[in-house]
Amino acid sequence: MRVAGLNHSFKDLEVLKNIDISVEQGEFVSIIGPSGSGKSTLFHLIGGLLTPTSGTIEINGADAVGRRGLIGYMPQAPALMPWRTIEANVILAREIAGKKDRKIAREWLAKVGLDGFARSYPHQLSGGMQQRVAFLRALISDQELLCLDEPFSALDAMTRADMHRWLLDIWEANRRSVLFVTHNIEEALLLSDTVYVFSHRPATVLEKITVPFGRPRRAEVVDDPEFVKLRRRLTDLLTGVPS
């Protein structure tokens, strides 16, 4: 996926300014920035829900401006249908695409520790379990690019740490292309290959940072001196402290 020279405004409110980002095949890319800097708007543009004021969006080398159905999407809240079982929630995107095979849902639920919950309903699951279901719904869609919009922001610290380990294991086994939005600097560095830092609105790319740590990546990397140095660098960028 490539975004080049992207600009977007809502009437007189300029939200995005000359945004250039890319996600290579199998790459995990994060975007961090202040609240209200247009990160979610960028997802709406990539997903075809909005048309940019100017600029280009390409997915798999083809023009994706205004085209829907080209990405897998996971919002901040799980957004599960309360009247559908967990199995039925997982296959929702495939069902909309005309594919009703539930076997893949059962297989994946077992892989992520939710075996036995296929016939349960969302209210019967914890917050972390619901997030796993929402992620699986995006993962088993046919789209190569997964856009994850602050999926762990509502979770408590312990559940969030568990979800980081879980997501790293699942992603490293499948290597889908991921564009991940977060406010959490440590989360971005722990999960990502590349991190883009956005400015305040109108958002511009302040810096593109290549994360130097290898894969598979484990939680202990947060104690690495280079990790600490990068975390400080990103904090300074977001708070406007001169380097």
Side-chain angles (χ1 to χ4, degrees):
M1 187 280 298
R2 296 185 185 279
V3 168
L6 196 70
N7 297 282
H8 192 69
S9 300
F10 294 104
K11 295 185 178 180
D12 295 330
L13 180 63
E14 190 176 20
V15 179
L16 300 172
K17 185 175 182 180
N18 198 32
I19 299 294
D20 293 320
I21 64 172
S22 64
V23 183
E24 303 300 331
Q25 185 174 8
E27 186 181 18
F28 198 120
V29 174
S30 285
I31 298 171
I32 62 172
S35 296
S37 61
K39 301 182 296 296
S40 293
T41 297
L42 176 63
F43 271 10
H44 294 159
L45 292 165
I46 294 171
L49 300 177
L50 296 172
T51 300
T53 304
S54 61
T56 61
I57 303 170
E58 293 183 356
I59 297 178
N60 294 327
D63 179 21
V65 171
R67 297 179 60 195
R68 303 185 185 187
L70 300 181
I71 66 171
Y73 177 67
M74 182 177 172
Q76 295 180 29
L80 304 178
M81 304 297 182
W83 60 88
R84 293 176 68 101
T85 64
I86 296 308
E87 178 182 272
N89 268 285
V90 168
I91 66 164
L92 181 60
R94 294 177 64 85
E95 191 174 292
I96 292 172
K99 301 175 181 180
K100 298 183 179 181
D101 182 12
R102 293 176 178 251
K103 182 180 178 182
I104 189 172
R106 291 191 291 271
E107 290 174 350
W108 272 104
L109 286 169
K111 288 179 182 179
V112 303
L114 292 177
D115 192 18
F117 290 93
R119 300 297 182 184
S120 300
Y121 288 87
H123 74 273
Q124 297 173 298
L125 274 62
S126 68
M129 293 166 75
Q130 289 184 30
Q131 289 297 88
R132 294 188 188 195
V133 174
F135 180 75
L136 286 185
R137 181 176 57 196
L139 182 68
I140 69 171
S141 66
D142 291 333
Q143 290 74 23
E144 168 61 25
L145 177 64
L146 304 182
C147 290
L148 312 182
D149 190 357
E150 296 189 65
F152 308 140
S153 60
L155 301 178
D156 63 79
M158 289 186 64
T159 304
R160 191 168 187 150
D162 287 341
M163 289 300 294
H164 290 163
R165 289 190 290 271
W166 176 81
L167 179 56
L168 280 171
D169 288 342
I170 292 293
W171 178 81
E172 287 173 359
N174 293 271
R175 291 297 176 111
R176 296 282 288 279
S177 304
V178 172
L179 184 59
F180 185 91
V181 163
T182 180
H183 284 97
N184 189 301
I185 293 171
E186 189 167 292
E187 181 172 77
L189 291 174
L190 176 63
L191 298 175
S192 308
D193 300 303
T194 303
V195 177
Y196 288 90
V197 184
F198 276 22
S199 69
H200 287 279
R201 190 177 63 235
T204 60
V205 176
L206 293 175
E207 194 163 323
K208 174 185 177 181
I209 293 176
T210 300
V211 181
F213 310 108
R215 308 276 189 181
R217 193 175 297 166
R218 292 294 177 257
E220 294 76 19
V221 74
V222 301
D223 298 320
D224 188 294
E226 183 62 22
F227 190 99
V228 176
K229 182 180 177 180
L230 276 176
R231 184 170 57 201
R232 170 49 55 190
R233 171 64 180 153
L234 291 176
T235 300
D236 290 346
L237 282 168
L238 290 173
T239 56
V241 175
S243 59

